[in-house]
Every structure is written in structure tokens, then in C-alpha cells.
Amino acid sequence: MDLPIFKMDKAASSNNEAMLLAKQKEIPEGTIVWVLNQTNGRGQGNKKWHSNPNENLTFSVLLKPSFLPMEKQFVLSKMVAVAVAKVVSSFCSDTFIKWPNDIYVKNNKIAGILIENSIQGQKMYHSVIGIGININQENFPSDVPNPTSLCVETGQKYRLEPLIRLFQQSILDEYEKLKKNHYQQIESYYDNLLYKKNQTVRIRYKNKEISAFVLKVDTSGFIHLLIENKEVLFAVGEIEFLIEKTNEKDA
């Protein structure tokens, strides 16, 4: 039986709506709140997520990973990135996961993920996972540095309803692995798709541009970079990857 998808014509943020829904009623894990016209979508940090109305997928998934130890919290982020990347890769070759959980096709961003956890005691009570995926949009604002979409990549238009079911099922499939403590399967897939792994990249750290060699992302979410022959760990938000082809900041 298909899990619920609550479809809304317009809202500021699917994450906000999903949080309100979770407070008002008991809803099953995997339930989706899908907003056709998201007017104030949020990304990592203070970034915004732009999406043309009715052209893309902007939705939130509710999960209740109380079984997950706090020290394994970032594996949830990896799990969602893997689930989204698997669906995207069925349409597009050269699909990657850019740390921490953006989905790229070649060097362009096709999807972003924002996870907001509710903590009770030492456990995660519930997680609202906001996902934005560019599907049919072909023109983007000039201040969006490196966007792409399924339509741009494949030259085809897509029906949104079947696609959102694909993403829902993929997330639930990977979530089952998490429940069964199959962390290594998730981590290995993430590692295999890690954007620029074993390559030299340009990053910005403390307003300084430096070269770094990408090694891995560990279970706690730190990225390991080789800088001047020394392995250095960075937390999410500490550095910015620079887009080589345009020398602009990444989204």
C-alpha cells in the first residue's frame, strides 16, 4: 500500500508544513508533504532553494529514527543522499554526491537536501527531510551558480507524480538498511559516488583559497582532505568548494 503524500498547491516551506503535520497527528514513517509552489525553500546554512512552481519536486519526508544512536546521526544524511542519487542515476550518468548531501550530475547541482531533527533526551524523536530536485526547469536565475535538471540533462519532460513515488520508495528502501544496522552498505555507496573523490579541488577556508585532495567523508560527517601532505578534517559549513569551470562559489 502506498504511503500518504499530502499535496499542497503553495507553501513557504515543505519542511515547515511537515513539522506542523507531525505535531498535529500521528502519521506513518515515509509520509511525504509535497509543495507544488514553494515560496521560501531553505538550503544548508542561510542558503535558499529556488524552484519554479509546478516544474520540480520540493517535498519533505517524515522519519522517526529513534533507534539511531546520536553518534550515527550523519549516517541518516548519507542514507538520504544515497536514496536520491540512486533514482537520479537511473536517468543520468555521472551522478555524484557532493559533501555533505547535494546531488550533482557532472559538475552541476540537481538536488539539495536539508534535514531537521527533533531530539528528545539522547535520541532523535523524528526527522523531517526536505528535498528539492530539479525536474523540468530549464531556465534558472543568474545568481544560481551551477544548476541542472533532469530535463536539461536528458532533453525530456517528466510527470512529477510517478517520480515522487520513486523517490519515496528509494528512501524507504535505504531506511530499512539503516534499521537493520547495515551502515556499511550505505557508507560504501556514498563513498563510491563522492564528488571529486581522489581528485584535487579548490576550496575556500577562512577567506583563503587553497588546493586540497579529497580523501573521504567519515561516519561523523567530517570530510578528510589532504592539504600540503597533511590529512585535515573539516566539519560541514567550514569550507566551500569552488566551481572550477567558472571559478564561482558553489551553491
Side-chain angles (χ1 to χ4, degrees), residues 67-79:
F67 60 88
L68 196 64
M70 290 298 292
E71 64 270 16
K72 296 284 188 181
Q73 186 174 334
F74 192 77
V75 184
L76 180 70
S77 178
K78 285 188 172 183
M79 179 276 291

Side-chain angles (χ1 to χ4, degrees), residues 94-147:
D94 297 319
T95 298
F96 302 100
I97 300 170
K98 178 183 166 292
W99 175 77
N101 53 19
D102 286 338
I103 309 303
Y104 269 41
V105 175
K106 304 181 181 70
N107 290 309
N108 297 315
K109 183 173 176 177
I110 197 169
I113 298 164
L114 176 66
I115 300 177
E116 297 182 289
N117 296 318
S118 173
I119 310 296
Q120 285 192 354
Q122 294 300 310
K123 291 185 176 181
M124 285 194 283
Y125 176 60
H126 67 241
S127 294
V128 174
I129 299 157
I131 302 172
I133 308 161
N134 296 329
I135 305 296
N136 291 321
Q137 188 165 341
E138 297 182 75
N139 299 301
F140 296 85
S142 59
D143 59 346
V144 179
N146 59 328

